[in-house]
Amino acid sequence: MAQPVFDSAYARLPDRFFARVAPTPVAAPRLIRVNAPLAAELGMDPDWLASDEGVAVLAGNRVPETAIPIATAYAGHQFGGFVPQLGDGRAILLGEVIDRGGTRRDVQLKGAGPTPFSRRGDGRAALGPVLREYLVSEAMQALGIPTTRALAAVTTGERVIRETMLPGAVLARVASSHIRVGTFQFFASRGDVEGVHTLADHVIARHYPHAADAERPYRALLDAVIRAQAKLIARWLLVGFIHGVMNTDNTSVAGETIDYGPCAFLDEYDPGTVFSSIDTYGRYAYANQPAIAQWNLTRLAECLLPLLADDKDAAAADAVEALEAFAPVFERAYQGGLRRKLGLATERNGDAALADDLLQTMAANGADFTLTFRALCHAAADEGADAEVRGFFADPAAYDAWAPRWRQRLAEEPGDAAARRDTMLAVNPAFIPRNHHIEAVIRAAVDRDDFAPFEELLTVLAKPYDAQPAFARYMDPPAPQERVLQTFCGT
Ligand code: AMP
Ligand code: MG
């Protein structure tokens, strides 16, 4: 098989949607890794991608004949403040491919050099953030959470200047699309209603084709994005994920997790957790994420107002009605997920309180989020496993006070205990990309040019729900000296 064939619907949109710009070649591209299963899914030949020719494409040194490289325009609210022009400052969209399932997917090179949207940035990415995004996005995929994917990563043979000099890298990223809430804001903030219209039609055709047949397509579009985001954020909370920079320009209208910067997973359960070094006020703390998503969706609704109704008041009322669906959709997804995590297949009054009391007890006792739920799977089938769960609580008696209520509730469930344990094991991961492991992977690669730890961690994270006893050490929370208190942006 030869080089991939691109078809670029986005590049056929009006000129003001993007800038045509080719990647800037790098000195000495070297392959870190090709994601062979994803390549196959996209109808690409992984061996070709790993060849000299393929690596040249992945590094931006060669543009495939069918590609139309562009940097897309977008705006965005960053930490609540509006920036009318952001855009792809260090990412270049090579184009789209139609995957084996017939779905259009973006292939983008992140770190491919300056674009008209780079402002003062260099258009490049450092190796550390590229490895972090590769690991965490693929871990999210394996956890079953909608996300952009990592198709490949290469080093550039060049250094980038950050706080220090760091090796440069390029990530080939795949997404349903890279269209963001901020893409709508780009046009809306310029009073370009025609642009909003064109973009909305594009998004409907690409992501929500059913909306085209709805009585009111743009309301149906808004409803669909709200639902997708509400469900996505519920999934994040259920695995302890903190995005870190939930700006409107990092909010995908397709409902995928996008732009992994200073993201992290909870170790001990603390809803106030903030990792991002740039999130001084804790705007994007773990437990704030649903409220922030709703805020971001409100910005999307504002952009769509002229499409919802001619009358301003009617349009506003319509938007408000659509936004009111966020909370119930989120709650259903979140509470349903918590019930499954606790082994409850049926729904009873008091389930939410039972789950919430556990979470509060965990928070008060510094219990590890992932390990506690994983151990509960075994405790559901065997009270002897309580000893392990208790060990995660600073005061084990706190678990003892809660556990009998849970057991009483489990007794009302149909099905046998072993089957319940197995169902629980399939929703409570053993392995998440813990920060101290990611940091260790990055240190090995950056300081010693050793990518073996990266490969090993990727292998473990590909099967997060399997026990993998040989890799049990990757379940461990950080030792005190390994604790990562802050994560830093990819910039
Ligand atoms: P982010 O915080 O990574 O989502 O990026 C926010 C904005 O800054 C986007 O418009 C990026 O394209 C831009 N940006 C981030 N890093 C760089 C860089 N190294 N060079 C140019 N633009 C950048
Ligand atoms: Mg971004």
Side-chain angles (χ1 to χ4, degrees):
M1 211 189 295
Q3 46 177 291
V5 179
F6 290 93
D7 173 67
S8 301
Y10 206 84
R12 290 193 286 271
L13 291 172
D15 285 347
R16 63 189 188 284
F17 279 60
F18 54 82
R20 281 202 181 215
V21 54
T24 304
V26 300
R30 197 184 80 189
L31 183 67
I32 300 171
R33 190 169 204 283
V34 167
N35 184 341
L38 178 60
E41 197 179 307
L42 298 177
M44 293 185 190
D45 178 358
D47 294 333
W48 181 85
L49 282 173
S51 71
D52 287 350
E53 217 184 325
V55 172
V57 167
L58 293 168
N61 285 19
R62 214 173 144 259
V63 175
E65 279 142 39
T66 50
I68 304 174
I70 58 172
T72 71
Y74 55 83
H77 275 92
Q78 300 191 308
F79 293 90
F82 186 64
V83 185
Q85 183 170 308
L86 292 163
D88 292 327
R90 57 163 163 175
I92 292 178
L93 181 62
L94 282 184
E96 299 135 31
V97 296
I98 308 298
D99 73 13
R100 289 235 166 113
T103 303
R104 183 176 288 277
R105 313 269 291 269
D106 275 7
V107 180
Q108 188 201 60
L109 299 181
K110 190 169 175 179
T115 78
F117 304 108
S118 295
R119 295 172 291 165
R120 280 183 296 281
D122 60 2
R124 293 297 182 190
L127 175 58
V130 165
L131 295 180
R132 177 184 291 277
E133 176 156 351
Y134 197 126
L135 282 166
V136 184
S137 64
E138 288 304 305
M140 291 290 263
Q141 167 70 20
L143 287 164
I145 299 174
T147 178
T148 63
R149 304 287 306 273
L151 174 62
V154 298
T155 50
T156 59
E158 296 177 0
R159 301 248 144 201
V160 295
I161 306 165
R162 297 294 181 259
E163 286 86 29
T164 54
M165 296 286 275
L166 294 167
V170 178
L171 177 74
R173 178 163 79 174
V174 173
S176 288
S177 84
H178 286 83
I179 303 167
R180 307 141 192 274
V181 168
T183 317
F184 280 92
Q185 291 180 293
F186 179 84
F187 300 104
S189 68
R190 285 164 175 71
D192 181 357
V193 177
E194 197 184 305
V196 174
H197 228 121
T198 304
L199 183 62
D201 289 339
H202 179 83
V203 170
I204 288 174
R206 187 159 177 185
H207 298 303
Y208 303 108
H210 70 272
D213 304 324
E215 200 177 317
R216 304 176 48 226
Y218 302 112
R219 169 63 194 270
L221 166 64
L222 180 58
D223 289 341
V225 179
I226 289 169
R227 290 183 68 81
Q229 279 289 328
K231 288 181 183 172
L232 176 69
I233 308 304
R235 306 293 298 267
W236 288 1
L237 296 201
L238 291 165
V239 295
F241 179 73
I242 307 172
H243 183 284
V245 204
M246 282 179 73
N247 293 332
T248 56
D249 53 302
N250 294 336
T251 303
S252 150
V253 297
E256 290 178 340
T257 313
I258 191 170
D259 278 8
Y260 294 85
C263 58
F265 279 71
L266 291 177
D267 293 304
E268 71 275 21
Y269 179 73
D270 172 2
T273 305
V274 179
F275 282 108
S276 169
S277 61
I278 53 175
D279 191 1
T280 326
Y281 299 104
R283 177 181 172 90
Y284 300 141
Y286 171 81
N288 274 1
Q289 296 181 116
I292 291 293
Q294 195 169 15
W295 192 90
N296 291 346
L297 291 162
T298 306
R299 307 287 82 77
L300 174 66
E302 285 165 0
C303 298
L304 294 175
L305 284 175
L307 278 54
L308 291 176
D310 290 334
D311 177 70
K312 280 203 168 114
D313 292 339
D318 203 34
V320 167
E321 188 184 275
L323 289 161
E324 278 169 354
F326 181 91
V329 173
F330 168 79
E331 275 304 315
R332 255 206 93 62
Y334 178 63
Q335 295 299 342
L338 280 179
R339 273 201 314 277
R340 281 189 294 281
K341 284 177 87 71
L342 289 174
L344 305 177
T346 65
E347 193 176 344
R348 296 276 162 92
N349 275 339
D351 287 350
L354 181 70
D356 192 54
D357 289 347
L358 172 64
L359 290 173
Q360 285 196 29
T361 309
M362 287 167 65
N365 285 274
D368 186 275
F369 183 71
T370 304
L371 293 180
T372 301
F373 278 102
R374 186 73 180 179
L376 280 177
C377 306
H378 298 288
D382 168 16
E383 287 195 32
D386 272 357
E388 195 193 349
V389 190
R390 299 177 85 238
F392 298 127
F393 290 73
D395 174 12
Y399 172 70
D400 298 338
W402 176 82
R405 287 170 57 201
W406 176 51
R407 291 235 153 75
Q408 208 168 18
R409 176 63 185 84
L410 283 180
E412 297 167 19
E413 284 286 303
D416 71 285
R420 180 172 312 127
R421 178 199 56 214
D422 292 347
T423 312
M424 288 176 72
L425 287 169
V427 294
N428 289 302
F431 300 98
I432 50 160
R434 292 187 190 259
N435 236 321
H436 62 298
H437 292 134
I438 295 178
E439 286 301 323
V441 160
I442 291 174
R443 289 272 61 84
V446 172
D447 301 343
R448 305 192 296 278
D449 197 33
D450 176 7
F451 290 84
F454 168 70
E455 292 290 335
E456 183 167 283
L457 186 54
L458 256 185
T459 306
V460 175
L461 294 173
K463 292 185 172 153
Y465 300 105
D466 291 4
Q468 306 187 70
F471 292 120
R473 66 196 169 85
Y474 285 105
M475 291 175 70
D476 292 343
Q481 76 280 7
E482 288 176 320
R483 285 180 67 87
V484 176
L485 299 176
Q486 281 196 330
T487 53
F488 296 88
C489 236
T491 44

